[in-house]
Amino acid sequence: MTDNMEWIAQWKSTKALTSAWITRGEMHHFFSHTLIFIIDGKAIWDINGHRVHVSYGELIALEENSVMEVIEGGNLDLAGWHVQFDTYSVLHDRREAEKFEWQLPSGEAYQKVQLSGGALASIIQHWSEVHSQDQSAERVGHQHLLYELLSNLYRKQPDDELKPEHGIIRSIDYMQQHYDQVITRTQLAQIAGISPWHYSRKFSERYGKPPLDYLAHYRIYRAQEELILTAATSQDIAKKSGFEDAHYFSRRFKQLTGVSPKIYRQTMTQRKIVSLSPICAEIMIHLGVIPHAVVVTPILLSPHHHEQFIAHGVQMLEVTQYEVEIELVRQVQPEMLIGNVLTEEVKRELRTIAPILTGLHQDVEPMLDQLAVWFLKEEEAYRLHQQMKHEVSVAKRQLQPIIQSASTVMLLRVEAFGYRYLGGHSHGVSHLLYEQLGLALPQALDSGTAWFNPCSLELLTQANPDYLFVEKRIMQHFSAEENMRKLWESTQWNELKAVKNNRVFYVDTHLWVDGHGITGHTLILNQIIRHLTEPLHERAQ
């Protein structure tokens, strides 16, 4: 059969992504064509032998008989759906259909496209409507959803292959992968597919410096990272960074950084640093290192972070959720970037600007230790650890009656696309509630291995916690209001012990998720103590 034959797609199933999609080593076999759309989080998968980074707002398409293995679950928990479907050719003369061997429009082993905020919102809307209809209407809704997803695969993309910019990006990729080897301008121009003269001009227009000058900067960037992250000698770092002559490396390093490699680490606190997250910036401030700027998402920025950054003169670079606007960071001209990034593509772009220290832990205390080592601030970190340890100890004494009674505590997240619960063996507030304070998670939720796990109303009923914290999730393009209303109106809600006993507490995403740094640790502990120990008659007032 040929690609131009008329064919139809028939929806088969739609299922939410579960913890199996972020559990390392889990295998998924797709016996039908499959579309996976990601509405939260990130992960790394092996799809048909290809290492693929997946993250928020992406649509991934697979042909039937594809295989996927989870390599890394990511620091954020994945949420989304996978839609399986079959395809048939239409035989009008015989008034029948037979199986059509559908292939991805890209012709590759998988296809990944970025959905716009509008497209993602439309898909969420369809999904919500599908589950509020009768069975016949629901099937029509599923078909509609399937074709809307397919339309994103077939939407005409710009022919980047014909643009010099695409070739320049290819050459950047090559430099970043082979920076430890001999690289010439002619070689790079060949990779870009344009003449050396044209390549140099276009490269300089895009990055503000000639390609070989950029390569020299990039090699020094990587050397700066090595000097902070490892105990390797300058000579070893020089060779690893593409410099055969250690003396030339030292001279070039000093030209670009102002100091020799031997004393570079001691000057870190004086550098123009951009933090890629508010929590990272907050911890730096507590250590006595004031970043020049911090990347923030205004709708998620906690008030205490906002006040702290203003008080210390930290410039706030405002971006939309899950985005790092590269040019905005470039304009600041940082000497160092610190923080986690969503994808390898973003890291590659950021490394055209400055060295980047990444791989930070999600929990505040291990992150504090990492930053303390990088900035030679171990003594300050020790004092902060003791302060946080004391706060937890005081809180445990106040919560002792609840801990001893084994009363169960649950945190339910209400989202635009459903409900999730905070797992008992994860990071952030999970670590604080269940490990540090020793509060009890409902037994029905004990199997949840992710940070936030899918939660049906039936599972909520089984959990039936004594105390219930509810977080109405804040997201850029979506509202949780409708699902909050449905929750309040459900029979399951009104039968919960926590609801009957007036032990439901509403908490803020700004603080409990995005603001859980050192200051946030204190604020959250105070809220937990107040909510769980406040007499019922005071709570009702």
Side-chain angles (χ1 to χ4, degrees):
M1 294 188 181
T2 60
D3 287 341
N4 60 5
M5 178 174 287
E6 187 175 352
W7 58 274
I8 59 172
Q10 177 62 51
W11 171 84
K12 193 171 182 181
S13 68
T14 301
K15 296 178 181 177
L17 303 187
T18 65
S19 59
W21 294 73
I22 58 172
T23 303
R24 183 177 297 182
E26 283 284 339
M27 301 289 295
H28 297 265
H29 300 267
F30 305 98
F31 300 108
S32 296
H33 306 306
T34 300
L35 299 172
I36 305 164
F37 53 110
I38 311 298
I39 54 176
D40 199 8
K42 65 175 181 177
I44 302 176
W45 298 338
D46 182 294
I47 300 178
N48 297 327
H50 298 264
R51 184 182 176 93
V52 182
H53 292 255
V54 300
S55 60
Y56 165 82
E58 291 181 338
L59 173 67
I60 300 96
L62 310 173
E63 294 174 10
E64 61 183 356
N65 299 318
S66 291
V67 178
M68 184 273 278
E69 179 182 359
V70 179
I71 299 176
E72 290 182 23
N75 295 323
L76 299 172
D77 291 295
L78 210 63
W81 294 282
H82 62 110
V83 177
Q84 296 200 59
F85 65 99
D86 295 319
T87 50
Y88 301 92
S89 59
V90 182
L91 306 174
H92 293 290
D93 54 339
R94 286 187 276 170
R95 297 184 179 181
E96 61 183 41
E98 62 181 35
K99 187 173 181 180
F100 176 68
E101 299 298 330
W102 181 74
Q103 294 181 332
L104 295 172
S106 66
E108 305 293 336
Y110 70 94
Q111 186 170 343
K112 184 172 74 167
V113 297
Q114 181 69 46
L115 299 174
S116 67
L120 204 54
S122 175
I123 290 166
I124 297 292
Q125 180 66 26
H126 281 312
W127 176 250
S128 300
E129 291 173 352
V130 160
H131 287 277
S132 61
Q133 299 168 338
D134 60 38
Q135 193 169 3
S136 296
E138 186 174 327
R139 292 191 68 83
V140 173
H142 282 307
Q143 279 294 121
H144 189 170
L145 179 63
L146 170 60
Y147 274 98
E148 182 161 356
L149 291 170
L150 284 170
S151 70
N152 284 280
L153 291 186
Y154 285 91
R155 186 169 290 122
K156 183 172 176 57
Q157 302 294 322
D159 192 359
D160 287 336
E161 291 294 337
L162 300 178
K163 295 181 179 180
E165 288 81 1
H166 190 84
I168 289 170
I169 291 171
R170 278 202 308 270
S171 73
I172 287 283
D173 285 341
Y174 184 84
M175 278 191 264
Q176 293 193 357
Q177 292 172 24
H178 303 277
Y179 67 93
D180 59 335
Q181 302 171 16
V182 175
I183 299 175
T184 66
R185 187 186 72 150
T186 301
Q187 186 180 4
L188 293 171
Q190 289 174 343
I191 292 167
I194 52 181
S195 71
W197 179 85
H198 193 47
Y199 171 71
S200 292
R201 184 171 67 84
K202 286 292 183 182
F203 193 102
S204 296
E205 287 175 3
R206 183 180 178 97
Y207 294 109
K209 56 177 71 75
L212 294 185
D213 196 17
Y214 164 81
L215 176 59
H217 277 76
Y218 183 76
R219 285 169 168 161
I220 298 299
Y221 292 165
R222 298 308 300 271
Q224 289 172 266
E225 294 169 10
E226 290 288 317
L227 285 166
I228 300 299
L229 299 175
T230 74
T233 65
S234 293
Q235 190 167 0
D236 288 340
I237 290 173
K239 190 171 184 179
K240 189 175 180 180
S241 303
F243 296 91
E244 287 298 325
D245 185 333
H247 295 292
Y248 174 70
F249 161 70
S250 184
R251 189 167 66 251
R252 194 76 167 111
F253 188 97
K254 189 170 184 178
Q255 283 178 346
L256 296 181
T257 67
V259 296
S260 69
K262 288 184 178 180
I263 67 168
Y264 172 73
R265 189 166 190 169
Q266 283 72 41
T267 69
M268 270 290 287
T269 58
Q270 305 160 25
R271 299 284 157 184
K272 192 177 184 182
I273 298 171
V274 171
S275 169
L276 301 177
S277 82
I279 289 178
C280 176
E282 183 211 330
I283 294 175
M284 287 172 60
I285 290 170
H286 277 282
L287 288 171
V289 181
I290 310 301
H292 176 79
V294 56
V295 176
V296 302
T297 300
I299 65 165
L300 297 176
L301 186 64
S302 62
H304 72 272
H305 278 155
H306 187 267
E307 293 170 7
Q308 199 171 35
F309 299 151
I310 290 177
H312 289 87
V314 181
Q315 182 181 349
M316 287 175 271
L317 308 178
E318 298 185 356
V319 300
T320 55
Q321 190 174 16
Y322 294 116
E323 297 292 332
V324 176
E325 295 182 24
I326 306 298
E327 292 310 310
L328 191 61
V329 176
R330 193 188 304 277
Q331 289 170 15
V332 179
Q333 298 181 323
E335 295 177 86
M336 178 66 73
L337 302 170
I338 298 182
N340 293 330
V341 293
L342 278 176
T343 66
E344 287 299 312
E345 290 84 356
V346 170
K347 186 191 290 186
R348 179 198 67 201
E349 282 293 310
L350 288 173
R351 274 184 165 155
T352 67
I353 302 171
I356 179 169
L357 302 179
T358 188
L360 288 167
H361 200 282
Q362 290 299 301
D363 274 330
V364 57
E365 292 180 76
M367 187 190 295
L368 171 60
D369 287 334
Q370 287 175 286
L371 292 170
V373 170
W374 294 349
F375 290 111
L376 304 176
K377 295 282 186 177
E378 287 91 339
E379 289 185 12
E380 290 85 345
Y382 176 78
R383 287 196 293 270
L384 290 167
H385 275 300
Q386 291 302 107
Q387 170 193 317
M388 296 172 76
K389 185 178 179 181
H390 174 70
E391 290 173 351
V392 169
S393 179
V394 170
K396 284 187 76 171
R397 285 199 299 271
Q398 293 178 273
L399 295 170
Q400 209 49 228
I402 293 170
I403 295 170
Q404 290 178 346
S405 69
S407 296
T408 56
V409 177
M410 175 183 179
L411 194 159
L412 178 70
R413 168 177 280 183
V414 180
E415 302 176 306
F417 34 84
Y419 309 102
R420 288 196 273 179
Y421 70 88
L422 182 70
H425 313 284
S426 189
H427 61 271
V429 177
S430 168
H431 181 67
L432 180 61
L433 284 171
Y434 303 118
E435 294 186 40
Q436 292 183 308
L437 293 177
L439 294 167
L441 180 75
Q443 190 173 359
L445 309 180
D446 201 49
S447 61
T449 57
W451 185 26
F452 280 94
N453 305 266
C455 186
S456 64
L457 293 180
E458 290 72 23
L459 182 57
L460 179 59
T461 299
Q462 292 173 31
N464 198 16
D466 295 299
Y467 297 88
L468 179 61
F469 290 100
V470 179
E471 176 215 346
K472 185 169 66 175
R473 180 75 186 282
I474 298 173
M475 293 189 74
Q476 189 84 42
H477 301 289
F478 313 113
S479 170
E481 294 291 345
E482 179 64 17
N483 274 335
M484 182 65 82
R485 182 187 62 79
K486 289 178 181 178
L487 178 65
W488 286 334
E489 294 176 354
S490 68
T491 55
Q492 293 93 334
W493 174 259
N494 292 302
E495 291 302 315
L496 294 175
K497 285 187 292 186
V499 174
K500 289 179 177 180
N501 295 326
N502 195 25
R503 289 172 172 168
V504 177
F505 317 107
Y506 295 90
V507 298
D508 194 348
T509 300
H510 296 103
L511 175 60
W512 282 56
V513 177
D514 296 284
H516 188 200
I518 293 172
T519 303
H521 180 85
T522 305
L523 296 173
I524 293 168
L525 272 175
N526 290 340
Q527 285 191 8
I528 292 170
I529 294 166
R530 186 176 75 251
H531 289 320
L532 299 189
T533 62
E534 187 178 73
L536 285 175
H537 69 274
E538 291 183 18
R539 196 178 302 145
Q541 292 177 357

